[in-house]
Amino acid sequence: MAQLILSQFRPAWWLRSPHLQTLWPVFLRRRVQLPLQAERVELSDGDFIDLAWYPRPNSPLVLVIHGLEGSLQSHYAQTLMQALQQAGFASVFMHLRGCSDEHNRLPESYHSGRTADIAEMLAHLQQTQRMPDAAIGFSLGGNLILKYLGETGANAGLQAAIAVSVPFQLQECARKLERGFSVVYGRYLVNKLKASYRRKFSQMNSPLAVNLDALKTLFAFDDQITAPLNGFAGAEDYYSRSSSRQFLQRIETPTLIIHSQDDPFMYPTTAPTEAMLSDSVTLELTTHGGHVGFVAGNVPWRADYWLETRMIEWIKSQLRQKST
């Protein structure tokens, strides 16, 4: 049965604000640089995906997918891969197309609904006998995983999945980033997207005639750039077809969604209700936690990153059930 559970997570008393929860790990968490192995996978449309492997022989494999404008340098990326390694897992990090050190070859881009890339990547890994046992996606990456699982149902190929801080309703989230303090996050993301667009199309011709300086919001960027580049009629069409909430009822893979009710990227009502979940999905709601934050700890400046502990614990429990 689908479950909606109230999490036992308690934020650090000195980081209760959703904004402190969101920003602390971005600016103050110490990054690690792991000895990762790079692999480039050629896609059927002539583009490519870059993977980064942290192998561990004879261990279950976890696929990790980042969020909007994320990469291996995101605060949660290599720290999670390190924690997985220490817990007995191998991991592989999937850069969405255009998000590694080299821009992708085609004018089109990654986006919140581009699950075909996940399907093709998993098919490649299965063909090369390296199929992941589980997948973890953050924010946009979480939206992609949930949408992929709903689209593929019993044929998803994964034994377990976790999605964190998911923008279940993309249009609602885009509009939230135009209000209050959340405007700060919206501007940050739009500036990163515009910088990526400029870098990419300094090396190739853009099919769009657009005034980048006039795009001030995520909605405007998606309407004028993301949508037309990727075959959508506009932002509303893109958001409508790519939002993961409509796919949750069709998920057959055991899936944990971790979501904070104070996530500043969305409204409390953005999260699905229990009735919207399939019997394979557990939604773990926290009262605090911000966006991909979930920082605990009793001593100031000594943070405890609860999210990693919770995710590893849950994946272990699922794989144990599968093996018995």
Side-chain angles (χ1 to χ4, degrees), residues 265-282:
F265 284 46
M266 51 201 96
Y267 297 100
T269 53
T270 304
T273 63
E274 190 169 8
M276 297 174 186
L277 309 174
S278 81
D279 289 346
S280 299
V281 178
T282 298

Side-chain angles (χ1 to χ4, degrees), residues 36-39 50-54 72 81 91-95:
L36 304 177
Q37 299 174 6
E39 178 185 2
D50 282 337
L51 302 178
W53 292 85
Y54 199 24
L72 271 175
M81 296 175 81
S91 58
V92 56
F93 187 89
M94 176 180 171
H95 283 101

Side-chain angles (χ1 to χ4, degrees), residues 3 13 95 108 170 176 195 217 308-310:
Q3 287 190 81
W13 59 266
H95 283 101
E108 58 215 59
L170 295 169
K176 176 67 163 68
T217 66
E308 288 169 4
T309 304
R310 175 66 181 124

Side-chain angles (χ1 to χ4, degrees), residues 65-91:
I65 305 178
H66 61 83
L68 184 65
E69 288 300 282
S71 72
L72 271 175
Q73 305 314 312
S74 297
H75 70 84
Y76 49 78
Q78 295 190 62
T79 49
L80 171 59
M81 296 175 81
Q82 182 182 59
L84 285 165
Q85 178 91 355
Q86 292 168 350
F89 294 92
S91 58

Side-chain angles (χ1 to χ4, degrees), residues 166-170 172-173 245 259 265-272:
V166 175
F168 303 97
Q169 301 178 79
L170 295 169
E172 198 173 274
C173 296
R245 196 165 85 163
H259 188 79
F265 284 46
M266 51 201 96
Y267 297 100
T269 53
T270 304

Side-chain angles (χ1 to χ4, degrees), residues 30-80:
R30 182 174 297 157
R31 306 292 202 273
V32 295
Q33 292 296 324
L34 303 175
L36 304 177
Q37 299 174 6
E39 178 185 2
R40 176 159 293 182
V41 179
E42 297 292 330
L43 299 174
S44 57
D45 63 3
D47 221 329
F48 66 90
I49 291 284
D50 282 337
L51 302 178
W53 292 85
Y54 199 24
R56 195 177 194 277
N58 305 314
S59 300
L61 176 63
V62 179
L63 172 70
V64 180
I65 305 178
H66 61 83
L68 184 65
E69 288 300 282
S71 72
L72 271 175
Q73 305 314 312
S74 297
H75 70 84
Y76 49 78
Q78 295 190 62
T79 49
L80 171 59

